[in-house]
Amino acid sequence: MSDGKRVLVKLSGEALIAADGYWLNPQTLTTLAADLKSAVDAGFRIAVVIGGGNVIRGAKVGAAGWIDRATADSMGMLATVMNSIALESALEAAGASARTMSAVAMPSVCETFARQPALHHLAKGRVVVLGGGTGNPFFTTDTAAVLRAIELNCDAVLKATQVDGVYSADPKTHPEATRYDVLTHDQAIQQDLKVMDTAAFALARENRLPIIVGSAHGPGAVTAILTGAAPATRVTP
């Protein structure tokens, strides 16, 4: 993928968990911030959506029955803002200009998301960290990532996973699984490859938004995927 492109990076909140189980690993955050700064330095315009699963997963809590799903999802949205402002702080410490924008208004903590200000930040070379999901319950951060990517005229979504692309089966349990270099949206649906949750993937397909799937673990992983130096699967219209 050439530089000058606008990319939304979708990160898992679980990736931030420390080895001892604490919800936030400072070293992981520092490494990730340095990687995103490298991507900006390489010429990419970067927006980020990060999940809140290291703190709470609304769907799981809601399914347990002791709290209703809408409330649990609201708690999850707040968790994503916590992760977002932590990442913003790490980015600034790494020398990258960053802004957190939340779909849930909390002006004493961060900016409220609006499309035009977000586009302005991107044009200025700032990393825009988008918290609060879509601002509504019952939608995942996958859906928020695709929605924001479309709103911000991104060229692609990079979904960071624990493996280096999309496989025909789980490579951890099926070592014979095949990794795909390129897929179409239709092929991913027909083969039920679980690129993203159903609502997110349907939105990406409808808007012909490419999705890049790769491993963002380790120093420089995001930049390596974007520059073509690391393997990844590209899901195209």
Side-chain angles (χ1 to χ4, degrees), residues 33-100:
D35 190 3
L36 294 172
K37 182 181 185 299
S38 294
V40 173
D41 291 343
F44 293 95
R45 298 289 187 243
I46 302 294
V48 179
V49 166
I50 187 165
N54 54 324
V55 181
I56 183 173
R57 295 189 67 85
K60 184 176 181 180
V61 172
W66 62 275
I67 192 168
D68 68 87
R69 172 66 187 274
T71 300
D73 279 354
S74 294
M75 295 165 67
M77 286 183 251
L78 297 178
T80 69
V81 176
M82 292 168 62
N83 286 338
S84 295
I85 60 176
L87 179 57
E88 177 192 8
S89 180
L91 284 161
E92 293 283 347
S97 181
R99 294 290 187 278
T100 296

Short mmCIF file of all heavy atoms in Angstrom, two decimals, residues 33-100:
data_model
loop_
_atom_site.label_atom_id
_atom_site.label_comp_id
_atom_site.label_asym_id
_atom_site.label_seq_id
_atom_site.Cartn_x
_atom_site.Cartn_y
_atom_site.Cartn_z
N ALA A 33 2.45 2.90 19.98
CA ALA A 33 2.52 4.33 19.65
C ALA A 33 3.69 4.62 18.72
O ALA A 33 3.57 5.39 17.76
CB ALA A 33 2.64 5.15 20.93
N ALA A 34 4.84 4.00 18.98
CA ALA A 34 6.01 4.20 18.13
C ALA A 34 5.74 3.68 16.71
O ALA A 34 6.16 4.29 15.72
CB ALA A 34 7.22 3.49 18.73
N ASP A 35 5.02 2.58 16.63
CA ASP A 35 4.67 2.00 15.33
C ASP A 35 3.75 2.93 14.54
O ASP A 35 3.97 3.20 13.35
CB ASP A 35 3.99 0.65 15.56
CG ASP A 35 3.81 -0.16 14.29
OD1 ASP A 35 4.26 0.28 13.21
OD2 ASP A 35 3.21 -1.25 14.38
N LEU A 36 2.74 3.45 15.20
CA LEU A 36 1.81 4.36 14.52
C LEU A 36 2.51 5.64 14.10
O LEU A 36 2.24 6.19 13.02
CB LEU A 36 0.63 4.67 15.43
CG LEU A 36 -0.29 3.49 15.75
CD1 LEU A 36 -1.32 3.87 16.81
CD2 LEU A 36 -1.00 2.99 14.49
N LYS A 37 3.44 6.13 14.92
CA LYS A 37 4.22 7.31 14.53
C LYS A 37 5.05 7.02 13.28
O LYS A 37 5.16 7.86 12.38
CB LYS A 37 5.13 7.77 15.66
CG LYS A 37 5.93 9.04 15.29
CD LYS A 37 6.85 9.47 16.40
CE LYS A 37 7.55 10.80 16.03
NZ LYS A 37 8.37 10.69 14.81
N SER A 38 5.62 5.82 13.22
CA SER A 38 6.40 5.44 12.03
C SER A 38 5.54 5.44 10.79
O SER A 38 5.98 5.84 9.70
CB SER A 38 7.04 4.06 12.23
OG SER A 38 8.00 4.09 13.26
N ALA A 39 4.29 4.99 10.93
CA ALA A 39 3.37 4.98 9.79
C ALA A 39 3.08 6.40 9.32
O ALA A 39 3.06 6.68 8.12
CB ALA A 39 2.08 4.26 10.16
N VAL A 40 2.89 7.30 10.28
CA VAL A 40 2.67 8.71 9.93
C VAL A 40 3.92 9.28 9.25
O VAL A 40 3.83 9.98 8.23
CB VAL A 40 2.31 9.53 11.18
CG1 VAL A 40 2.25 11.02 10.85
CG2 VAL A 40 0.97 9.07 11.74
N ASP A 41 5.08 8.97 9.80
CA ASP A 41 6.33 9.46 9.22
C ASP A 41 6.55 8.92 7.80
O ASP A 41 7.22 9.56 6.98
CB ASP A 41 7.52 9.06 10.10
CG ASP A 41 7.53 9.81 11.43
OD1 ASP A 41 6.84 10.84 11.54
OD2 ASP A 41 8.23 9.36 12.36
N ALA A 42 5.97 7.74 7.53
CA ALA A 42 6.09 7.14 6.20
C ALA A 42 5.10 7.76 5.21
O ALA A 42 5.10 7.40 4.03
CB ALA A 42 5.87 5.63 6.28
N GLY A 43 4.25 8.66 5.71
CA GLY A 43 3.35 9.38 4.81
C GLY A 43 1.89 8.99 4.91
O GLY A 43 1.05 9.54 4.20
N PHE A 44 1.56 8.05 5.79
CA PHE A 44 0.17 7.63 5.92
C PHE A 44 -0.58 8.56 6.86
O PHE A 44 -0.02 9.11 7.80
CB PHE A 44 0.10 6.19 6.45
CG PHE A 44 0.63 5.16 5.49
CD1 PHE A 44 1.94 4.72 5.58
CD2 PHE A 44 -0.17 4.65 4.49
CE1 PHE A 44 2.45 3.79 4.69
CE2 PHE A 44 0.33 3.71 3.59
CZ PHE A 44 1.64 3.28 3.69
N ARG A 45 -1.87 8.74 6.59
CA ARG A 45 -2.77 9.44 7.49
C ARG A 45 -3.52 8.38 8.30
O ARG A 45 -4.17 7.51 7.71
CB ARG A 45 -3.74 10.31 6.71
CG ARG A 45 -3.06 11.40 5.87
CD ARG A 45 -2.49 12.49 6.78
NE ARG A 45 -1.97 13.62 6.03
CZ ARG A 45 -0.71 14.01 6.03
NH1 ARG A 45 0.20 13.31 6.71
NH2 ARG A 45 -0.32 15.06 5.35
N ILE A 46 -3.40 8.44 9.61
CA ILE A 46 -3.86 7.34 10.45
C ILE A 46 -4.98 7.75 11.40
O ILE A 46 -4.87 8.73 12.14
CB ILE A 46 -2.69 6.78 11.29
CG1 ILE A 46 -1.54 6.29 10.39
CG2 ILE A 46 -3.17 5.65 12.21
CD1 ILE A 46 -1.88 5.10 9.53
N ALA A 47 -6.07 6.99 11.35
CA ALA A 47 -7.11 7.04 12.38
C ALA A 47 -7.11 5.69 13.07
O ALA A 47 -6.69 4.67 12.49
CB ALA A 47 -8.48 7.32 11.76
N VAL A 48 -7.52 5.66 14.33
CA VAL A 48 -7.48 4.43 15.11
C VAL A 48 -8.81 4.23 15.83
O VAL A 48 -9.35 5.18 16.41
CB VAL A 48 -6.34 4.46 16.16
CG1 VAL A 48 -6.33 3.16 16.97
CG2 VAL A 48 -4.99 4.69 15.50
N VAL A 49 -9.31 3.01 15.80
CA VAL A 49 -10.41 2.60 16.66
C VAL A 49 -9.90 1.43 17.49
O VAL A 49 -9.36 0.46 16.95
CB VAL A 49 -11.67 2.17 15.87
CG1 VAL A 49 -12.66 1.45 16.79
CG2 VAL A 49 -12.33 3.39 15.24
N ILE A 50 -10.02 1.55 18.81
CA ILE A 50 -9.54 0.50 19.69
C ILE A 50 -10.69 -0.01 20.54
O ILE A 50 -11.52 0.76 21.02
CB ILE A 50 -8.36 1.01 20.56
CG1 ILE A 50 -7.75 -0.13 21.38
CG2 ILE A 50 -8.77 2.16 21.45
CD1 ILE A 50 -6.39 0.22 21.95
N GLY A 51 -10.76 -1.33 20.70
CA GLY A 51 -11.82 -1.93 21.49
C GLY A 51 -11.63 -1.71 22.98
O GLY A 51 -10.63 -1.14 23.42
N GLY A 52 -12.57 -2.21 23.75
CA GLY A 52 -12.49 -2.07 25.21
C GLY A 52 -12.51 -3.39 25.94
O GLY A 52 -12.74 -3.45 27.15
N GLY A 53 -12.21 -4.48 25.21
CA GLY A 53 -12.32 -5.81 25.79
C GLY A 53 -11.33 -6.11 26.90
O GLY A 53 -11.50 -7.09 27.62
N ASN A 54 -10.28 -5.31 27.02
CA ASN A 54 -9.36 -5.49 28.15
C ASN A 54 -9.97 -5.02 29.46
O ASN A 54 -9.48 -5.36 30.54
CB ASN A 54 -8.06 -4.73 27.90
CG ASN A 54 -8.28 -3.26 27.59
OD1 ASN A 54 -9.25 -2.88 26.95
ND2 ASN A 54 -7.37 -2.41 28.03
N VAL A 55 -11.05 -4.24 29.37
CA VAL A 55 -11.74 -3.74 30.56
C VAL A 55 -13.08 -4.45 30.74
O VAL A 55 -13.38 -5.00 31.79
CB VAL A 55 -11.95 -2.22 30.48
CG1 VAL A 55 -12.66 -1.70 31.74
CG2 VAL A 55 -10.63 -1.49 30.27
N ILE A 56 -13.89 -4.43 29.70
CA ILE A 56 -15.21 -5.06 29.76
C ILE A 56 -15.69 -5.34 28.35
O ILE A 56 -15.43 -4.56 27.43
CB ILE A 56 -16.22 -4.14 30.50
CG1 ILE A 56 -17.58 -4.84 30.63
CG2 ILE A 56 -16.35 -2.79 29.83
CD1 ILE A 56 -18.57 -4.06 31.50
N ARG A 57 -16.40 -6.45 28.18
CA ARG A 57 -17.05 -6.76 26.91
C ARG A 57 -18.55 -6.71 27.15
O ARG A 57 -19.12 -7.55 27.86
CB ARG A 57 -16.64 -8.14 26.40
CG ARG A 57 -15.15 -8.23 26.04
CD ARG A 57 -14.83 -9.53 25.33
NE ARG A 57 -15.46 -9.58 24.03
CZ ARG A 57 -14.95 -9.06 22.91
NH1 ARG A 57 -13.80 -8.42 22.95
NH2 ARG A 57 -15.59 -9.17 21.78
N GLY A 58 -19.20 -5.70 26.57
CA GLY A 58 -20.62 -5.48 26.82
C GLY A 58 -21.49 -6.67 26.49
O GLY A 58 -22.40 -7.03 27.25
N ALA A 59 -21.21 -7.32 25.34
CA ALA A 59 -22.03 -8.46 24.93
C ALA A 59 -21.94 -9.59 25.94
O ALA A 59 -22.94 -10.24 26.28
CB ALA A 59 -21.59 -8.94 23.55
N LYS A 60 -20.74 -9.83 26.46
CA LYS A 60 -20.54 -10.91 27.43
C LYS A 60 -21.23 -10.61 28.75
O LYS A 60 -21.91 -11.46 29.33
CB LYS A 60 -19.05 -11.13 27.65
CG LYS A 60 -18.72 -12.30 28.57
CD LYS A 60 -17.22 -12.52 28.66
CE LYS A 60 -16.90 -13.69 29.56
NZ LYS A 60 -15.43 -13.92 29.66
N VAL A 61 -21.08 -9.37 29.23
CA VAL A 61 -21.71 -8.98 30.49
C VAL A 61 -23.23 -8.99 30.34
O VAL A 61 -23.96 -9.48 31.21
CB VAL A 61 -21.22 -7.58 30.92
CG1 VAL A 61 -22.02 -7.07 32.12
CG2 VAL A 61 -19.74 -7.63 31.26
N GLY A 62 -23.72 -8.49 29.20
CA GLY A 62 -25.16 -8.49 28.97
C GLY A 62 -25.73 -9.90 28.92
O GLY A 62 -26.82 -10.17 29.44
N ALA A 63 -24.97 -10.82 28.29
CA ALA A 63 -25.44 -12.20 28.16
C ALA A 63 -25.48 -12.91 29.52
O ALA A 63 -26.25 -13.86 29.70
CB ALA A 63 -24.53 -12.97 27.21
N ALA A 64 -24.68 -12.45 30.46
CA ALA A 64 -24.66 -13.07 31.79
C ALA A 64 -25.96 -12.82 32.55
O ALA A 64 -26.30 -13.55 33.48
CB ALA A 64 -23.48 -12.54 32.60
N GLY A 65 -26.69 -11.77 32.17
CA GLY A 65 -28.02 -11.55 32.70
C GLY A 65 -28.13 -10.69 33.93
O GLY A 65 -29.23 -10.33 34.35
N TRP A 66 -27.00 -10.30 34.51
CA TRP A 66 -27.09 -9.50 35.74
C TRP A 66 -27.16 -8.00 35.46
O TRP A 66 -27.41 -7.20 36.37
CB TRP A 66 -25.93 -9.81 36.68
CG TRP A 66 -24.56 -9.50 36.13
CD1 TRP A 66 -23.80 -10.31 35.34
CD2 TRP A 66 -23.79 -8.32 36.34
NE1 TRP A 66 -22.62 -9.71 35.03
CE2 TRP A 66 -22.58 -8.48 35.64
CE3 TRP A 66 -24.00 -7.13 37.04
CZ2 TRP A 66 -21.59 -7.51 35.62
CZ3 TRP A 66 -23.02 -6.16 37.03
CH2 TRP A 66 -21.82 -6.35 36.32
N ILE A 67 -26.97 -7.63 34.20
CA ILE A 67 -27.12 -6.24 33.79
C ILE A 67 -27.61 -6.25 32.34
O ILE A 67 -27.25 -7.15 31.57
CB ILE A 67 -25.79 -5.48 33.93
CG1 ILE A 67 -25.98 -3.97 33.78
CG2 ILE A 67 -24.76 -5.98 32.93
CD1 ILE A 67 -24.76 -3.17 34.21
N ASP A 68 -28.47 -5.31 31.98
CA ASP A 68 -29.02 -5.37 30.62
C ASP A 68 -27.97 -4.99 29.58
O ASP A 68 -27.00 -4.28 29.87
CB ASP A 68 -30.26 -4.48 30.50
CG ASP A 68 -29.93 -3.00 30.61
OD1 ASP A 68 -29.61 -2.38 29.59
OD2 ASP A 68 -29.98 -2.47 31.74
N ARG A 69 -28.17 -5.48 28.36
CA ARG A 69 -27.16 -5.34 27.30
C ARG A 69 -26.88 -3.88 26.97
O ARG A 69 -25.73 -3.50 26.75
CB ARG A 69 -27.63 -6.09 26.05
CG ARG A 69 -26.79 -5.88 24.80
CD ARG A 69 -25.38 -6.47 24.91
NE ARG A 69 -24.58 -6.11 23.76
CZ ARG A 69 -24.56 -6.80 22.60
NH1 ARG A 69 -25.30 -7.89 22.47
NH2 ARG A 69 -23.80 -6.40 21.60
N ALA A 70 -27.91 -3.03 26.90
CA ALA A 70 -27.68 -1.63 26.54
C ALA A 70 -26.78 -0.95 27.57
O ALA A 70 -25.87 -0.19 27.21
CB ALA A 70 -29.01 -0.89 26.42
N THR A 71 -27.00 -1.23 28.85
CA THR A 71 -26.16 -0.65 29.89
C THR A 71 -24.75 -1.20 29.81
O THR A 71 -23.76 -0.45 29.93
CB THR A 71 -26.76 -0.94 31.28
OG1 THR A 71 -28.06 -0.38 31.36
CG2 THR A 71 -25.89 -0.35 32.38
N ALA A 72 -24.63 -2.50 29.59
CA ALA A 72 -23.31 -3.12 29.48
C ALA A 72 -22.53 -2.55 28.30
O ALA A 72 -21.32 -2.29 28.39
CB ALA A 72 -23.46 -4.63 29.33
N ASP A 73 -23.22 -2.31 27.19
CA ASP A 73 -22.55 -1.72 26.03
C ASP A 73 -22.11 -0.29 26.31
O ASP A 73 -21.06 0.15 25.83
CB ASP A 73 -23.48 -1.76 24.80
CG ASP A 73 -23.49 -3.11 24.12
OD1 ASP A 73 -22.69 -3.98 24.51
OD2 ASP A 73 -24.28 -3.29 23.17
N SER A 74 -22.90 0.44 27.08
CA SER A 74 -22.49 1.79 27.46
C SER A 74 -21.21 1.75 28.29
O SER A 74 -20.31 2.59 28.13
CB SER A 74 -23.61 2.49 28.26
OG SER A 74 -24.73 2.71 27.43
N MET A 75 -21.11 0.78 29.17
CA MET A 75 -19.89 0.60 29.95
C MET A 75 -18.71 0.28 29.03
O MET A 75 -17.60 0.79 29.21
CB MET A 75 -20.08 -0.51 30.98
CG MET A 75 -21.13 -0.18 32.04
SD MET A 75 -21.67 -1.64 32.99
CE MET A 75 -20.16 -2.03 33.88
N GLY A 76 -18.97 -0.55 28.02
CA GLY A 76 -17.92 -0.88 27.06
C GLY A 76 -17.46 0.33 26.27
O GLY A 76 -16.27 0.49 25.98
N MET A 77 -18.39 1.23 25.93
CA MET A 77 -18.02 2.45 25.20
C MET A 77 -17.09 3.31 26.06
O MET A 77 -16.12 3.88 25.55
CB MET A 77 -19.27 3.24 24.81
CG MET A 77 -20.05 2.64 23.66
SD MET A 77 -21.46 3.69 23.21
CE MET A 77 -22.82 2.71 23.78
N LEU A 78 -17.38 3.39 27.35
CA LEU A 78 -16.51 4.15 28.24
C LEU A 78 -15.11 3.52 28.31
O LEU A 78 -14.10 4.23 28.37
CB LEU A 78 -17.13 4.23 29.64
CG LEU A 78 -18.47 4.97 29.74
CD1 LEU A 78 -18.97 4.93 31.18
CD2 LEU A 78 -18.32 6.42 29.28
N ALA A 79 -15.06 2.19 28.28
CA ALA A 79 -13.77 1.50 28.30
C ALA A 79 -12.94 1.85 27.07
O ALA A 79 -11.72 2.03 27.16
CB ALA A 79 -13.99 -0.01 28.37
N THR A 80 -13.59 1.98 25.92
CA THR A 80 -12.83 2.34 24.71
C THR A 80 -12.26 3.75 24.81
O THR A 80 -11.19 4.02 24.27
CB THR A 80 -13.70 2.23 23.43
OG1 THR A 80 -14.70 3.25 23.42
CG2 THR A 80 -14.35 0.86 23.31
N VAL A 81 -12.97 4.63 25.49
CA VAL A 81 -12.44 5.99 25.68
C VAL A 81 -11.23 5.96 26.60
O VAL A 81 -10.23 6.66 26.36
CB VAL A 81 -13.53 6.93 26.22
CG1 VAL A 81 -12.94 8.32 26.50
CG2 VAL A 81 -14.68 7.05 25.21
N MET A 82 -11.28 5.14 27.64
CA MET A 82 -10.11 4.98 28.52
C MET A 82 -8.89 4.53 27.71
O MET A 82 -7.80 5.09 27.84
CB MET A 82 -10.42 3.96 29.62
CG MET A 82 -11.45 4.43 30.62
SD MET A 82 -12.04 3.10 31.70
CE MET A 82 -10.53 2.62 32.54
N ASN A 83 -9.08 3.53 26.87
CA ASN A 83 -7.98 3.04 26.03
C ASN A 83 -7.51 4.11 25.05
O ASN A 83 -6.32 4.25 24.77
CB ASN A 83 -8.41 1.79 25.27
CG ASN A 83 -8.48 0.56 26.15
OD1 ASN A 83 -7.86 0.50 27.21
ND2 ASN A 83 -9.24 -0.42 25.72
N SER A 84 -8.46 4.86 24.52
CA SER A 84 -8.13 5.88 23.52
C SER A 84 -7.28 7.00 24.10
O SER A 84 -6.29 7.42 23.49
CB SER A 84 -9.42 6.46 22.91
OG SER A 84 -10.12 5.47 22.19
N ILE A 85 -7.65 7.49 25.29
CA ILE A 85 -6.86 8.58 25.86
C ILE A 85 -5.50 8.08 26.33
O ILE A 85 -4.51 8.83 26.33
CB ILE A 85 -7.62 9.33 26.98
CG1 ILE A 85 -7.99 8.43 28.13
CG2 ILE A 85 -8.86 10.01 26.40
CD1 ILE A 85 -8.66 9.17 29.29
N ALA A 86 -5.43 6.79 26.71
CA ALA A 86 -4.12 6.21 27.05
C ALA A 86 -3.23 6.16 25.81
O ALA A 86 -2.04 6.49 25.86
CB ALA A 86 -4.30 4.81 27.63
N LEU A 87 -3.82 5.75 24.67
CA LEU A 87 -3.05 5.70 23.42
C LEU A 87 -2.66 7.10 22.97
O LEU A 87 -1.54 7.32 22.49
CB LEU A 87 -3.86 5.00 22.34
CG LEU A 87 -3.19 4.88 20.97
CD1 LEU A 87 -1.84 4.17 21.06
CD2 LEU A 87 -4.10 4.17 19.97
N GLU A 88 -3.56 8.07 23.11
CA GLU A 88 -3.24 9.44 22.75
C GLU A 88 -2.02 9.93 23.54
O GLU A 88 -1.10 10.53 22.99
CB GLU A 88 -4.42 10.36 23.01
CG GLU A 88 -4.12 11.83 22.72
CD GLU A 88 -5.18 12.78 23.24
OE1 GLU A 88 -6.09 12.34 23.97
OE2 GLU A 88 -5.09 13.98 22.93
N SER A 89 -2.01 9.65 24.83
CA SER A 89 -0.90 10.06 25.69
C SER A 89 0.40 9.41 25.23
O SER A 89 1.46 10.05 25.17
CB SER A 89 -1.20 9.70 27.14
OG SER A 89 -0.15 10.08 27.99
N ALA A 90 0.33 8.11 24.90
CA ALA A 90 1.52 7.40 24.44
C ALA A 90 2.02 7.95 23.10
O ALA A 90 3.23 8.05 22.87
CB ALA A 90 1.22 5.90 24.33
N LEU A 91 1.10 8.28 22.22
CA LEU A 91 1.47 8.86 20.93
C LEU A 91 2.17 10.20 21.10
O LEU A 91 3.20 10.47 20.47
CB LEU A 91 0.24 9.03 20.05
CG LEU A 91 -0.31 7.75 19.40
CD1 LEU A 91 -1.76 7.95 18.96
CD2 LEU A 91 0.56 7.33 18.23
N GLU A 92 1.62 11.04 21.96
CA GLU A 92 2.25 12.34 22.21
C GLU A 92 3.64 12.15 22.81
O GLU A 92 4.58 12.86 22.45
CB GLU A 92 1.36 13.17 23.14
CG GLU A 92 0.04 13.61 22.53
CD GLU A 92 0.19 14.79 21.56
OE1 GLU A 92 1.26 15.42 21.55
OE2 GLU A 92 -0.78 15.08 20.83
N ALA A 93 3.80 11.18 23.70
CA ALA A 93 5.10 10.90 24.30
C ALA A 93 6.10 10.41 23.25
O ALA A 93 7.31 10.64 23.37
CB ALA A 93 4.96 9.87 25.42
N ALA A 94 5.58 9.73 22.21
CA ALA A 94 6.43 9.22 21.14
C ALA A 94 6.76 10.29 20.10
O ALA A 94 7.52 10.04 19.16
CB ALA A 94 5.76 8.04 20.45
N GLY A 95 6.18 11.47 20.26
CA GLY A 95 6.47 12.55 19.33
C GLY A 95 5.47 12.71 18.21
O GLY A 95 5.68 13.49 17.28
N ALA A 96 4.35 11.99 18.31
CA ALA A 96 3.30 12.11 17.29
C ALA A 96 2.19 13.00 17.82
O ALA A 96 1.80 12.89 18.98
CB ALA A 96 2.75 10.73 16.94
N SER A 97 1.66 13.86 16.98
CA SER A 97 0.52 14.67 17.36
C SER A 97 -0.74 13.81 17.26
O SER A 97 -0.93 13.11 16.27
CB SER A 97 0.40 15.88 16.43
OG SER A 97 -0.69 16.69 16.81
N ALA A 98 -1.56 13.82 18.32
CA ALA A 98 -2.73 12.95 18.34
C ALA A 98 -3.91 13.65 19.00
O ALA A 98 -3.74 14.55 19.82
CB ALA A 98 -2.42 11.66 19.10
N ARG A 99 -5.11 13.23 18.62
CA ARG A 99 -6.33 13.74 19.21
C ARG A 99 -7.29 12.58 19.44
O ARG A 99 -7.52 11.79 18.54
CB ARG A 99 -7.02 14.76 18.30
CG ARG A 99 -6.28 16.05 18.08
CD ARG A 99 -6.24 16.92 19.32
NE ARG A 99 -5.65 18.22 19.02
CZ ARG A 99 -4.35 18.47 18.95
NH1 ARG A 99 -3.48 17.48 19.14
NH2 ARG A 99 -3.91 19.70 18.67
N THR A 100 -7.85 12.51 20.64
CA THR A 100 -8.92 11.57 20.91
C THR A 100 -10.25 12.26 20.66
O THR A 100 -10.47 13.38 21.10
CB THR A 100 -8.88 11.07 22.36
OG1 THR A 100 -7.67 10.34 22.58
CG2 THR A 100 -10.06 10.15 22.67
#
